[in-house]
Amino acid sequence: MPLVVIAVIALCYLPYLSVGWGVLGFLTKGYFNQEGIVAGNDIWLLSLWRLVFGEHERDVAVYVALAGLVLMLKGLMVARSSDHSIASRVADINMLLLLAFLLWSPNYPWYFLIVAPFAALCGSAPTWVVSIGALLLSEQLDWDFYIPRVVSKSILFGGLLLAWAFVVWRTRMPRTIEARLLQ
């Protein structure tokens, strides 16, 4: 499937080949700079890393490579999963979206709208935290000079991590109780 996706993208790009990379327009030259991706300033996990360990040369490139690798490996794990039920696939897509949000940490609340259907379909705590927590970012658009972006993102993505920890704890808890009862 990944090869099919690459082939379709290449096929769609073919009519615009004479333009070169310019077909991507603002994305390559302006958007990545404007959103702080090139400098790494608005990538939440990288910002936390820099707060603790300081800024290092090429840390953005290393982070982007590691984040891409994590997403690719998790995507491969999902693709190789033995559970092919619709519910499982929808939950896997939801989890990959949430992981992508955590790794790329978008600045605007409208990016998070994509998880809204998953709140109804999956109903998972992490999905609810992100979909409701994105409102924090919408408030931050007006309060940017009062609340540093890293603070609002720490609340949003910290909540996501806590919700994931809660889900893991909740799924492991019955097994732990059962193991104790069998002893």
Side-chain angles (χ1 to χ4, degrees):
M1 184 56 86
L3 294 176
V4 171
V5 170
I6 291 169
V8 168
I9 290 171
L11 189 62
C12 291
Y13 180 73
L14 233 92
Y16 306 100
L17 200 55
S18 64
V19 178
W21 285 105
V23 76
L24 298 175
F26 185 70
L27 180 64
T28 57
K29 293 185 178 147
Y31 182 78
F32 291 145
N33 285 323
Q34 178 181 322
E35 295 306 312
I37 295 170
V38 171
N41 299 330
D42 285 341
I43 300 173
W44 181 67
L45 289 173
L46 184 57
S47 294
L48 293 181
W49 172 269
R50 287 175 170 178
L51 280 173
V52 175
F53 299 105
E55 192 171 332
H56 298 283
E57 187 179 340
R58 295 194 176 96
D59 59 357
V60 176
V62 170
Y63 179 83
V64 168
L66 287 174
L69 183 65
V70 165
L71 282 173
M72 185 180 71
L73 290 175
K74 190 62 181 168
L76 287 172
M77 286 172 57
V78 165
R80 298 186 64 130
S81 172
S82 60
D83 188 358
H84 297 291
S85 68
I86 293 174
S88 174
R89 292 300 182 181
V90 168
D92 288 341
I93 292 168
N94 179 47
M95 185 266 315
L96 284 169
L97 283 170
L98 293 175
L99 183 60
F101 280 142
L102 175 66
L103 294 173
W104 302 116
S105 57
N107 295 327
Y108 304 109
W110 48 85
Y111 290 123
F112 294 89
L113 286 174
I114 196 168
V115 299
F118 293 98
L121 294 171
C122 301
S124 70
T127 306
W128 282 106
V129 166
V130 167
S131 60
I132 294 170
L135 290 173
L136 176 68
L137 287 179
S138 67
E139 289 298 320
Q140 196 238 329
L141 292 174
D142 295 330
W143 298 356
D144 204 18
F145 49 91
Y146 295 120
I147 302 171
R149 190 168 280 174
V150 71
V151 172
S152 61
K153 284 188 174 185
S154 293
I155 295 168
L156 175 66
F157 294 115
L160 173 62
L161 292 174
L162 284 173
W164 266 333
F166 171 74
V167 168
V168 168
W169 173 78
R170 193 162 177 210
T171 56
R172 292 181 188 250
M173 186 63 138
R175 283 188 254 154
T176 305
I177 292 171
E178 185 179 310
R180 288 182 186 164
L181 291 175
L182 292 175
Q183 289 179 353

